[in-house]
Amino acid sequence: MKNVVRNDLWMVIIAWCLLLNNYSLLGMVTGILASLYLSINTRYKNYWRILAVTLVSFSLSFLLARLTVIHLFSYFTFFCGIISFNVAMLNERLHKERLATLYPIFVVVFICLIIFMLVAFIIPTNLVLANAKANLFGLIILVFIPYTSEILISLIVKEYNIKKFLDKQKSLHNPKMYN
């Protein structure tokens, strides 16, 4: 089932590329298709959690976008809403994924985040590029952090649940219990 998450992340990459190349409407259509793809491939949905994650993601993304120049793109508010809904649907999908399939996905997304941050850090800073460099860091955070944090939170929760389950099983099979 990791193909569903992988395909969604590729569609979101394409949506961001379209937005950044000034094809906002095509980017929004791609984001909607990615969200529909996740919605179709996720059977049981908690609609309150979807609403909560969408609102939190939209609030944080919109506030970060207001600090950079990205909010000046055409229809960015709608695009931000679509991406926030996609993050919420990914959150629902990650509850169904196995732990072993989440690690490679997280590693790839995290390595991409680090590489882009390093490239942005290496770019020389002068008076002309100072504002552009700050916008570049903001854009990298805006693109990668929602998805990286959702996958990381899902990994932590799954690891904690496994540890709790194993501790419970260990206490059930304690030999001192039968003495």
Side-chain angles (χ1 to χ4, degrees):
M1 287 297 145
K2 71 179 178 180
N3 292 339
V4 174
V5 175
R6 183 199 61 206
N7 293 343
D8 174 65
L9 292 176
W10 274 110
M11 284 192 275
V12 169
I13 288 170
I14 292 168
W16 273 105
C17 289
L18 288 169
L19 175 83
L20 294 175
N21 285 309
N22 214 14
Y23 294 107
S24 301
L25 293 175
L26 287 175
M28 290 189 320
V29 168
T30 307
I32 290 170
L33 289 175
S35 299
L36 284 174
Y37 177 71
L38 275 178
S39 180
I40 290 168
N41 288 304
T42 305
R43 285 191 182 189
Y44 304 107
K45 299 171 195 76
N46 184 341
Y47 294 105
W48 289 109
R49 184 171 47 213
I50 291 172
L51 180 65
V53 172
T54 300
L55 291 175
V56 169
S57 178
F58 180 78
S59 312
L60 294 175
S61 297
F62 193 73
L63 287 175
L64 180 64
R66 295 301 271 174
L67 297 175
T68 64
V69 75
I70 190 74
H71 74 279
L72 298 175
F73 279 79
S74 303
Y75 307 112
F76 179 75
T77 306
F78 298 115
F79 182 80
C80 187
I82 291 167
I83 292 297
S84 299
F85 180 70
N86 187 270
V87 168
M89 289 306 300
L90 180 68
N91 182 28
E92 287 299 307
R93 179 66 196 180
L94 291 177
H95 286 291
K96 313 303 186 249
E97 292 290 331
R98 294 179 182 213
L99 189 62
T101 61
L102 290 181
Y103 276 114
I105 294 170
F106 176 73
V107 167
V108 168
V109 172
F110 190 71
I111 287 173
C112 288
L113 171 67
I114 297 300
I115 288 171
F116 278 104
M117 288 298 237
L118 286 175
V119 168
F121 184 73
I122 291 172
I123 293 175
T125 305
N126 59 26
L127 294 176
V128 177
L129 294 176
N131 194 20
K133 193 169 184 175
N135 285 326
L136 184 61
F137 279 121
L139 183 61
I140 291 169
I141 289 170
L142 185 65
V143 171
F144 283 101
I145 291 299
Y147 292 97
T148 308
S149 62
E150 283 297 326
I151 297 171
L152 180 63
I153 289 168
S154 183
L155 282 172
I156 291 170
V157 166
K158 286 182 183 289
E159 285 287 347
Y160 175 75
N161 288 340
I162 288 173
K163 182 184 178 311
K164 192 167 74 171
F165 175 76
L166 291 175
D167 288 344
K168 184 178 179 182
Q169 292 299 319
K170 204 182 287 185
S171 68
L172 288 177
H173 297 295
N174 190 355
K176 292 182 182 180
M177 187 170 88
Y178 300 111
N179 288 338

